[in-house]
Structures are given as structure tokens and as C-alpha cells.
Amino acid sequence: MTDLTTASADDRSLRILSTGDLAGIDISLADVVETVEGAYRTLHAGQSDNPRKLTVKPADGHSVAYAMLGRDGSRDVVAIKTSYKHGLDKGRDEQHYYTSLTVYDDVTGLPLAMMDCSRIGSLRTPAVSALLARECAAPGARSALVIGTGTQGRLALPFLLTTLPDLDRLMLSGTHPEGIAAVREQMRSYFPDREVEVVTDLRAAAGDADVIVATAGGHTPAAVEADWLKPGALSVLVGHGLAPSTLHRADRVIATSEAQMNVTGTDMADADGKLPAVDAEFPSVLAGVTAGRGSATERIFTYNSGLVVTDIALGHRFAQLALAQGLGTEVALWR
């Protein structure tokens, strides 16, 4: 394993890893899942810190910005992630999105790297959904439905197959031809022998699915209702595509972070503006302290909001791989 404690030339320089640097790094889906799972386990063990994210949003809702600070105790690193999206009131092609992660070594006190965080997020989020499915899907789950074909939807099915290899019906609900093509391309890349079934009857597809992962954007007309779901169904909310009833009428609610759900999940609130309490947070489920599922027939709602400790762990892993390949540019930022 590459040692990152000597990655920076001195305390005045910072290694920059661009979008292009990270795009060329080969990493398996199993490696991503293992790295993300390890971050959750370390957090549950009390070795890491993951404070609540800060959010700013103008009154008209045209943009949103987040800042997230965290510390990974197993790697002894501290990192700050920023995320800014503009054009939420416009179509996908007119939006602007920028996100970065800056990592510092908490042993030497030196900066390790600053990197574009878009690929990290595009891998981390579906990996978490796949872990939620592994821990919370009904025994013998065979069918999955992904709603949305954007960044988070394109790798959702390959990651689900990584943790639930017995899935044999893979459904996709989407309206953008280029997004549907991208989903199929990703599937061919990772699982060339598997087919994606594009569905047009969302209610029927949702009623057939053992696992539903909703990743659609805010303008989607898709809204799966609770009474569409069969007994034992697992719903994973990443973006949009599930109606509030799937949360409020669920037999069990699990969130990666209840605090973050209360901040970013307000669109799922009831008529009184309230969200139900969660039954468990996912780190405790992964650690085996709390059961992910109580019975085969429970309808379970899970809320997948990003924890910065997972970005830190995966960002650190990318930095290791990048350094081993001599990627990145040293910038004398503090001179």
C-alpha cells in the first residue's frame, strides 16, 4: 500500500488531483464497497468524526452549497469536502456542479491532496445503496428497480449486483435516452452477461421489485407510493422518485444519518412538516449491533445521505492509487 505521509513535498505545497487524473484510475466495485464499509465500521467504533453538514440555499432555491468536515481515525486523516450546485430551477444540461475534497495527514500535519470529488461521490453513493440492500433486503431478493439515469443511477445496478449477485431481474425507469444508454453501457462494462429491462409502467415495476433505489432528479414525475410496494420490499432513497408515503407508512426506517435526513429530507415531510423517527442508523446495522430487518415481510425505507467519512476513505484510496501512478500536480499554494 502506498504511503501517503510523504506525498507532499513540504508544508507549503499541495498535490492537486484533477478530474482527468482520477478518471484514469482503475478501481473495482468490490474495492469501493470494502472501503466504504470500512469507513462506516470505523465511525461506529467511535474512531472517526462526522459532524453534521452545513448547508446554504437562497430563498428561490436556484442553488445549494454544502460543507462537510470529518476525521478518519483508521487512516489518521482530516478532510474537508465542499459541494456547490447551481441551476436547480433549470434542466440538467444547464446546471453547474462543483465538488472538491482536501485531505490532510493528522500524523505529520502535512496536506496530502486536493481532488475533484465528483467521481468519488458517483462511486460512494451507489456503494452505500448496495450495502443497504445487502443488509436490509428480504431474504432471497431477486428483482431490483432503479429510478433515474443521472450520475447516481448509472452505477446503481452494477453495485447492487456486487453485493446481491443473485438478483436476476434488473429494471430501470428513466426518461432521458442518453441516460438510459449510459446505464446500459455501465452494465456492459461490469456485467456484460446481464441485461437491463427498461420499464414504462412504474407502478407495476415497483410492485414487482424486491429492492427499489430512487436516484432521480428533483424534476422527476416519478413518485412510488407505499401501497404499490409488495410485502418485504426495500426502498432506498438517494435523490427523488419515492412518495412520502413510502417513508411514513414503512414498517421500519433506517438512515445513514438521522441528523442529515432531518436536514436534507424535508421534501419527505408529512402535512405537518414532520419526519418520523428512524428505527436505526446504518453504521450500527453494519456493525451487527442493530438488525437491518425484523421479518421477511417488513416494508423497509432507507435514507442514503452521504457521510463525509465515506468520501474521506474513498478519497484517501484514490490518492494512494494516484500517487503510485505518479499522477497529480504539486502546487506551491502557500508560498
Side-chain angles (χ1 to χ4, degrees):
M1 183 178 291
T2 303
D3 182 9
L4 287 181
T5 59
T6 58
S8 294
D10 54 45
D11 62 354
R12 298 184 179 184
S13 299
L14 180 65
R15 178 177 293 266
I16 305 295
L17 297 173
S18 68
T19 303
D21 291 328
L22 299 180
I25 293 176
D26 185 25
I27 186 169
S28 71
L29 301 186
D31 191 344
V32 175
V33 169
E34 181 181 1
T35 300
V36 170
E37 181 173 2
Y40 273 111
R41 291 183 180 276
T42 302
L43 178 63
H44 182 267
Q47 299 172 7
S48 296
D49 297 299
N50 193 102
R52 181 182 300 187
K53 67 172 66 174
L54 298 177
T55 307
V56 291
K57 191 173 185 178
D60 64 4
H62 74 268
S63 70
V64 64
Y66 301 105
M68 292 150 276
L69 169 69
R71 185 181 189 280
D72 185 313
S74 66
R75 294 169 177 80
D76 283 320
V77 295
V78 172
I80 300 170
K81 178 183 177 182
T82 62
S83 177
Y84 171 66
K85 192 168 189 177
H86 182 276
L88 298 178
D89 54 341
K90 301 177 181 178
R92 183 184 301 177
D93 294 339
E94 298 179 89
Q95 294 179 355
H96 299 281
Y97 178 60
Y98 307 97
T99 179
S100 63
L101 181 73
T102 308
V103 187
Y104 301 87
D105 183 84
D106 202 30
V107 175
T108 66
L110 296 177
L112 295 179
M114 179 180 183
M115 64 196 77
D116 170 33
C117 203
S118 56
R119 188 180 179 203
I120 293 165
S122 71
L123 291 170
R124 173 263 285 159
T125 304
V128 174
S129 294
L131 285 167
L132 284 164
R134 188 191 74 189
E135 299 296 322
C136 302
R142 303 299 294 269
S143 58
L145 168 65
V146 171
I147 302 170
T149 62
T151 300
Q152 297 304 333
R154 296 179 183 185
L155 278 172
L157 288 171
F159 270 107
L160 284 174
L161 284 173
T162 301
T163 60
L164 293 177
D166 291 335
L167 291 173
D168 55 19
R169 187 181 181 194
L170 308 172
M171 296 176 282
L172 175 68
S173 174
T175 58
H176 297 279
E178 70 279 6
I180 294 171
V183 170
R184 284 180 160 149
E185 180 182 354
Q186 293 285 11
M187 183 62 73
R188 284 193 296 269
S189 175
Y190 291 101
F191 294 94
D193 60 332
R194 305 301 299 271
E195 295 293 329
V196 177
E197 175 188 348
V198 178
V199 298
T200 55
D201 188 336
L202 181 61
R203 180 167 188 160
D208 289 340
D210 295 307
V211 178
I212 299 174
V213 181
T215 73
H219 297 295
T220 184
V224 171
E225 296 285 353
D227 59 7
W228 299 4
L229 304 177
K230 68 180 183 180
L234 168 68
S235 301
V236 182
L237 184 61
V238 177
H240 300 270
L242 298 177
S245 63
T246 57
L247 166 61
H248 294 275
R249 292 171 55 187
D251 298 308
R252 187 167 175 78
V253 177
I254 296 173
T256 49
S257 166
E258 183 172 21
Q260 286 197 9
M261 187 176 93
N262 287 331
V263 171
T264 61
T266 54
D267 58 315
M268 297 292 283
D270 63 16
D272 297 322
K274 296 181 179 180
L275 294 171
V278 306
D279 295 291
E281 290 192 320
F282 191 50
S284 67
V285 173
L286 265 182
V289 174
T290 306
R293 170 177 288 275
S295 74
T297 59
E298 281 184 327
R299 292 182 178 92
I300 298 178
F301 176 95
T302 60
Y303 190 82
N304 178 356
S305 61
L307 300 189
V308 74
V309 290
T310 59
D311 294 288
I312 296 172
L314 197 53
H316 186 268
R317 180 72 179 123
F318 267 98
Q320 287 179 318
L321 296 171
L323 185 62
Q325 297 176 39
L327 299 173
T329 303
E330 287 285 342
V331 176
L333 184 63
W334 294 289
R335 289 186 182 177

